[in-house]
Amino acid sequence: LPLAPLPPFVDGGPPPGSSPHAGPLRLAAAAMMRPGDKLASYAALAAALHRLPATLDWRLAIAGDGAEAAAAKALFAPYAARTTFHGQLSPPDLRALFEASDLLVWPGVGEGFGMVYLEAQAAGLPCLAEDRPGPRHVIDPARALPPPDDPAALAQAILAFGEEDPKETRRSARAHVEAHHALPAAAERLKTLLTPLIVRP
């Protein structure tokens, strides 16, 4: 039998509210604090932040908890004044965090599809990851992704984002999910795939 792709999908929810903002670049990350790939992604994010220029004013909000919480938090100790740990958030609270942020930065070490990228973009939050197969499959293709294991390149991508039009990046992120990963898009894709297989009497 032939195989056909069905992209991962989420309930996009209502259109996100506008997020007018003047001030520091509001970065967000959301992931469990587990050993292995998750902790490696936290380490990659911290390494990128270390390479941001001192002239860039930024804040980081992190949602997540787990067995490696202490180790994950220790990675960001040099940025304690700029980093807020929210612990594990309920879906509505996580959505609110996404809507109040400017950019989700999650390197995506060993990620499959990475549903967090879809949830963030549904909230109108642009996403940045390292150029790995999982994130690349679901992040708005308008966003250029830096190469893996290159914290300087990830830092440069964060810096470049700060020069973009925030309204356009939010619009593009939401539009990408609506076109390819929201429930109506998934239903239409299934209909296209299954209708030819229906045998009418």
Side-chain angles (χ1 to χ4, degrees), residues 5-91:
L6 176 65
F9 53 89
V10 293
D11 180 355
S18 61
S19 183
H21 169 69
L25 179 63
R26 301 170 300 178
L27 306 175
M32 292 300 294
M33 296 174 174
R34 297 197 300 256
D37 289 338
K38 295 295 187 188
L39 190 58
S41 274
Y42 277 113
L45 173 56
L49 296 177
H50 181 68
R51 288 162 175 80
L52 289 175
T55 53
L56 180 66
D57 191 8
W58 56 269
R59 300 292 185 273
L60 173 64
I62 297 179
D65 203 351
E68 293 296 329
K73 291 178 180 179
L75 292 167
F76 299 92
Y79 326 107
R82 299 186 179 197
T83 303
T84 302
F85 292 95
H86 293 273
Q88 186 171 350
L89 296 179
S90 67

Side-chain angles (χ1 to χ4, degrees), residues 7 44 59 76 135 144 148 151 162-163 176 180 198-199:
R59 300 292 185 273
F76 299 92
E163 302 300 320
H176 173 66
H180 302 286
I198 298 174
V199 179

Side-chain angles (χ1 to χ4, degrees), residues 51-139:
R51 288 162 175 80
L52 289 175
T55 53
L56 180 66
D57 191 8
W58 56 269
R59 300 292 185 273
L60 173 64
I62 297 179
D65 203 351
E68 293 296 329
K73 291 178 180 179
L75 292 167
F76 299 92
Y79 326 107
R82 299 186 179 197
T83 303
T84 302
F85 292 95
H86 293 273
Q88 186 171 350
L89 296 179
S90 67
D93 288 342
L94 184 60
R95 169 84 179 211
L97 175 65
F98 287 159
E99 290 197 24
S101 301
D102 298 316
L103 178 68
L104 179 88
V105 185
W106 184 243
V109 177
E111 292 283 354
F113 291 124
M115 294 300 289
V116 68
Y117 302 116
L118 295 183
E119 294 167 352
Q121 290 174 114
L125 181 61
C127 295
L128 181 62
E130 295 179 339
D131 190 5
R132 299 176 182 273
R136 187 191 314 130
H137 190 73
V138 295
I139 289 178

